[in-house]
mmCIF file of all heavy atoms in Angstrom:
data_model
loop_
_atom_site.group_PDB
_atom_site.id
_atom_site.type_symbol
_atom_site.label_atom_id
_atom_site.label_comp_id
_atom_site.label_asym_id
_atom_site.label_seq_id
_atom_site.Cartn_x
_atom_site.Cartn_y
_atom_site.Cartn_z
ATOM 1 N N HIS K 19 0.509 -7.518 18.358
ATOM 2 C CA HIS K 19 1.316 -6.756 19.335
ATOM 3 C C HIS K 19 2.023 -5.642 18.522
ATOM 4 O O HIS K 19 2.416 -5.834 17.391
ATOM 5 C CB HIS K 19 2.407 -7.729 19.959
ATOM 6 C CG HIS K 19 3.176 -7.108 20.999
ATOM 7 N ND1 HIS K 19 4.318 -6.448 20.784
ATOM 8 C CD2 HIS K 19 2.984 -7.117 22.367
ATOM 9 C CE1 HIS K 19 4.827 -5.972 21.916
ATOM 10 N NE2 HIS K 19 4.035 -6.371 22.885
ATOM 11 N N TRP K 20 2.222 -4.483 19.210
ATOM 12 C CA TRP K 20 2.814 -3.291 18.510
ATOM 13 C C TRP K 20 4.161 -3.601 17.861
ATOM 14 O O TRP K 20 4.526 -3.125 16.780
ATOM 15 C CB TRP K 20 2.908 -2.135 19.478
ATOM 16 C CG TRP K 20 3.896 -2.277 20.558
ATOM 17 C CD1 TRP K 20 3.699 -2.775 21.821
ATOM 18 C CD2 TRP K 20 5.307 -2.031 20.470
ATOM 19 N NE1 TRP K 20 4.834 -2.823 22.489
ATOM 20 C CE2 TRP K 20 5.871 -2.316 21.707
ATOM 21 C CE3 TRP K 20 6.158 -1.513 19.449
ATOM 22 C CZ2 TRP K 20 7.267 -2.206 21.974
ATOM 23 C CZ3 TRP K 20 7.495 -1.379 19.742
ATOM 24 C CH2 TRP K 20 8.021 -1.682 20.976
ATOM 25 N N SER K 21 4.944 -4.504 18.498
ATOM 26 C CA SER K 21 6.324 -4.770 17.955
ATOM 27 C C SER K 21 6.212 -5.551 16.677
ATOM 28 O O SER K 21 6.990 -5.324 15.710
ATOM 29 C CB SER K 21 7.238 -5.436 18.970
ATOM 30 O OG SER K 21 6.615 -6.690 19.305
ATOM 31 N N LYS K 22 5.318 -6.487 16.583
ATOM 32 C CA LYS K 22 5.046 -7.242 15.376
ATOM 33 C C LYS K 22 4.583 -6.378 14.258
ATOM 34 O O LYS K 22 5.010 -6.485 13.101
ATOM 35 C CB LYS K 22 4.111 -8.402 15.691
ATOM 36 C CG LYS K 22 3.771 -9.271 14.496
ATOM 37 C CD LYS K 22 4.924 -10.210 14.166
ATOM 38 C CE LYS K 22 4.406 -11.210 13.090
ATOM 39 N NZ LYS K 22 5.493 -11.730 12.324
ATOM 40 N N ARG K 23 3.635 -5.519 14.618
ATOM 41 C CA ARG K 23 3.083 -4.607 13.600
ATOM 42 C C ARG K 23 4.176 -3.658 13.106
ATOM 43 O O ARG K 23 4.223 -3.320 11.909
ATOM 44 C CB ARG K 23 1.907 -3.783 14.201
ATOM 45 C CG ARG K 23 1.173 -2.977 13.118
ATOM 46 C CD ARG K 23 -0.170 -2.409 13.687
ATOM 47 N NE ARG K 23 -0.086 -1.710 14.933
ATOM 48 C CZ ARG K 23 -0.541 -2.155 16.095
ATOM 49 N NH1 ARG K 23 -1.159 -3.315 16.132
ATOM 50 N NH2 ARG K 23 -0.438 -1.477 17.247
ATOM 51 N N LYS K 24 5.049 -3.152 13.981
ATOM 52 C CA LYS K 24 6.120 -2.289 13.552
ATOM 53 C C LYS K 24 7.113 -2.997 12.621
ATOM 54 O O LYS K 24 7.499 -2.383 11.650
ATOM 55 C CB LYS K 24 6.914 -1.791 14.776
ATOM 56 C CG LYS K 24 8.049 -0.850 14.404
ATOM 57 C CD LYS K 24 8.818 -0.326 15.607
ATOM 58 C CE LYS K 24 9.877 0.661 15.316
ATOM 59 N NZ LYS K 24 10.566 0.580 14.068
ATOM 60 N N GLU K 25 7.387 -4.292 12.876
ATOM 61 C CA GLU K 25 8.205 -5.043 11.890
ATOM 62 C C GLU K 25 7.597 -5.081 10.501
ATOM 63 O O GLU K 25 8.228 -4.923 9.532
ATOM 64 C CB GLU K 25 8.334 -6.476 12.379
ATOM 65 C CG GLU K 25 9.303 -6.667 13.531
ATOM 66 C CD GLU K 25 9.369 -8.139 14.021
ATOM 67 O OE1 GLU K 25 8.937 -9.066 13.258
ATOM 68 O OE2 GLU K 25 9.768 -8.357 15.188
ATOM 69 N N GLU K 26 6.277 -5.295 10.496
ATOM 70 C CA GLU K 26 5.532 -5.360 9.224
ATOM 71 C C GLU K 26 5.576 -3.978 8.517
ATOM 72 O O GLU K 26 5.873 -3.927 7.295
ATOM 73 C CB GLU K 26 4.104 -5.810 9.461
ATOM 74 C CG GLU K 26 3.363 -6.161 8.213
ATOM 75 C CD GLU K 26 2.020 -6.790 8.417
ATOM 76 O OE1 GLU K 26 1.857 -7.443 9.463
ATOM 77 O OE2 GLU K 26 1.177 -6.597 7.522
ATOM 78 N N VAL K 27 5.350 -2.949 9.230
ATOM 79 C CA VAL K 27 5.382 -1.573 8.694
ATOM 80 C C VAL K 27 6.758 -1.223 8.132
ATOM 81 O O VAL K 27 6.892 -0.720 7.057
ATOM 82 C CB VAL K 27 4.891 -0.556 9.684
ATOM 83 C CG1 VAL K 27 5.169 0.884 9.263
ATOM 84 C CG2 VAL K 27 3.394 -0.721 10.023
ATOM 85 N N ASP K 28 7.793 -1.553 8.915
ATOM 86 C CA ASP K 28 9.141 -1.255 8.489
ATOM 87 C C ASP K 28 9.530 -1.987 7.180
ATOM 88 O O ASP K 28 10.150 -1.470 6.277
ATOM 89 C CB ASP K 28 10.163 -1.647 9.568
ATOM 90 C CG ASP K 28 10.089 -0.634 10.730
ATOM 91 O OD1 ASP K 28 9.489 0.451 10.653
ATOM 92 O OD2 ASP K 28 10.669 -1.040 11.799
ATOM 93 N N ALA K 29 9.090 -3.265 7.137
ATOM 94 C CA ALA K 29 9.286 -4.102 5.890
ATOM 95 C C ALA K 29 8.602 -3.452 4.713
ATOM 96 O O ALA K 29 9.082 -3.318 3.580
ATOM 97 C CB ALA K 29 8.836 -5.464 6.095
ATOM 98 N N CYS K 30 7.340 -2.993 4.914
ATOM 99 C CA CYS K 30 6.617 -2.332 3.862
ATOM 100 C C CYS K 30 7.309 -1.070 3.347
ATOM 101 O O CYS K 30 7.471 -0.876 2.164
ATOM 102 C CB CYS K 30 5.202 -1.964 4.371
ATOM 103 S SG CYS K 30 4.243 -1.027 3.223
ATOM 104 N N HIS K 31 7.749 -0.270 4.264
ATOM 105 C CA HIS K 31 8.413 0.987 3.929
ATOM 106 C C HIS K 31 9.689 0.736 3.062
ATOM 107 O O HIS K 31 9.949 1.483 2.139
ATOM 108 C CB HIS K 31 8.715 1.838 5.129
ATOM 109 C CG HIS K 31 7.488 2.419 5.845
ATOM 110 N ND1 HIS K 31 7.566 3.287 6.812
ATOM 111 C CD2 HIS K 31 6.153 2.193 5.550
ATOM 112 C CE1 HIS K 31 6.304 3.588 7.174
ATOM 113 N NE2 HIS K 31 5.446 2.922 6.458
ATOM 114 N N LEU K 32 10.378 -0.306 3.414
ATOM 115 C CA LEU K 32 11.580 -0.632 2.670
ATOM 116 C C LEU K 32 11.259 -1.088 1.212
ATOM 117 O O LEU K 32 11.862 -0.645 0.244
ATOM 118 C CB LEU K 32 12.417 -1.794 3.382
ATOM 119 C CG LEU K 32 13.646 -2.264 2.666
ATOM 120 C CD1 LEU K 32 14.690 -1.162 2.597
ATOM 121 C CD2 LEU K 32 14.197 -3.496 3.413
ATOM 122 N N LEU K 33 10.189 -1.852 1.107
ATOM 123 C CA LEU K 33 9.748 -2.339 -0.222
ATOM 124 C C LEU K 33 9.234 -1.119 -1.076
ATOM 125 O O LEU K 33 9.500 -1.044 -2.239
ATOM 126 C CB LEU K 33 8.668 -3.368 -0.097
ATOM 127 C CG LEU K 33 9.130 -4.693 0.464
ATOM 128 C CD1 LEU K 33 7.993 -5.610 0.810
ATOM 129 C CD2 LEU K 33 10.022 -5.448 -0.561
#
Side-chain angles (χ1 to χ4, degrees):
H19 187 272
W20 69 267
S21 63
K22 178 74 172 156
R23 190 169 49 251
K24 182 179 182 329
E25 286 177 17
E26 190 170 333
V27 169
D28 289 347
C30 173
H31 291 186
L32 179 63
L33 291 167

